[in-house]
Amino acid sequence: MAGWTTCTGQALILPIDNVDTDQLIPARFMSVPRSEGYGTYLLHDMRRDADGSLSANFALNQNMEVSILVAGCNFGCGSSREAAVYALVDAGIRAVIAPSFSDIFASNAVNNGLLPALIGADDAEALSKLFTGKPAEIAINLRSSTLRCGQTEMQFQLQDSWRTKLISGLDDIDLTLQHMDKIRSYQNIRYSTSAWAWPAPAN
């Protein structure tokens, strides 16, 4: 996972509350190997007409180069499936800006390099007014927790530990491995003082 500090890209507004993980990627596609890419399945049913063809009226179908989504409240609710984040990342989405996120979705997002940028309700309304039916360019700075669209700049909220992960490109396992010397030292001390607590060697 590559770390990043700044991102500037085309943003699209998805003015729908409670977009859940089954909408982000329907469960029937989760048996497909990730190696084949999940981007095709992002918002699969929402983007299609009754006959299964891509709807010309759905904005994402008209603007395939979008890398930032501006979403409604409670984005990523529903099941905890990490595949919902895979679908966004594989479709080229690098950040989702919303007034609220599912906690599990937001955590999964950060562990896959996707920014869940949390903004206030007033800022969300102001940002939505900058869209006129077509994408708008948004610049994001992780270090300052700011985003800019045209002449409008606003702050977003992000946990410090999540900022570190996104900038460094590390997930929870990577961060744990950085402390392997301390972990091994602790293991050695425990083994020398409480050998009885460790499994017996195999014969």
Side-chain angles (χ1 to χ4, degrees):
M1 182 175 73
W4 60 279
T5 303
T6 61
C7 168
T8 299
Q10 292 296 299
L12 191 68
I13 187 167
L14 185 66
I16 305 171
D17 292 338
N18 303 311
V19 173
D20 64 35
T21 52
D22 194 57
Q23 290 172 297
L24 289 169
I25 181 169
R28 63 185 182 276
F29 298 120
M30 291 175 60
S31 60
V32 176
R34 169 81 190 280
S35 59
E36 295 185 13
Y38 278 10
T40 303
Y41 309 118
L42 176 64
L43 298 170
H44 183 278
D45 296 348
M46 193 181 296
R47 295 171 65 177
R48 284 165 172 77
D49 292 326
D51 62 0
S53 61
L54 289 173
S55 172
N57 296 322
F58 195 80
L60 190 59
N61 295 334
Q62 303 167 9
N63 305 279
M64 304 301 286
E65 301 303 316
V66 166
S67 59
I68 300 169
L69 286 182
V70 178
C73 297
N74 202 26
F75 189 85
C77 57
S79 75
S80 61
R81 69 187 71 170
E82 197 167 8
V85 174
Y86 297 161
L88 287 159
V89 171
D90 290 357
I93 304 300
R94 302 189 64 189
V96 179
I97 303 166
S100 57
F101 294 92
S102 159
D103 290 342
I104 295 177
F105 172 86
S107 179
N108 285 339
V110 170
N111 283 330
N112 286 277
L114 175 70
L115 169 66
L118 183 66
I119 58 176
D122 290 343
D123 281 342
E125 183 177 356
L127 187 59
S128 69
K129 291 179 179 178
L130 301 179
F131 289 81
T132 57
K134 58 183 180 180
E137 186 175 272
I138 290 181
I140 296 172
N141 188 310
L142 283 179
R143 293 194 186 279
S144 61
S145 291
T146 57
L147 61 88
R148 176 182 290 276
C149 184
Q151 299 303 309
T152 300
E153 182 173 289
M154 58 186 64
Q155 295 284 137
F156 62 85
Q157 297 178 41
L158 184 68
Q159 295 180 24
D160 288 341
S161 60
W162 287 3
R163 188 190 331 278
T164 298
K165 286 182 180 180
L166 289 169
I167 292 175
S168 62
L170 302 178
D171 61 17
D172 289 334
I173 294 174
D174 295 321
L175 291 174
T176 300
L177 291 175
Q178 290 184 338
H179 301 282
M180 279 307 299
D181 289 344
K182 293 181 180 179
I183 292 171
R184 289 195 179 99
S185 176
Y186 176 79
Q187 288 176 328
N188 291 334
I189 292 172
R190 290 290 293 163
Y191 185 74
S192 64
T193 59
S194 306
W196 53 270
W198 293 77
N203 293 326

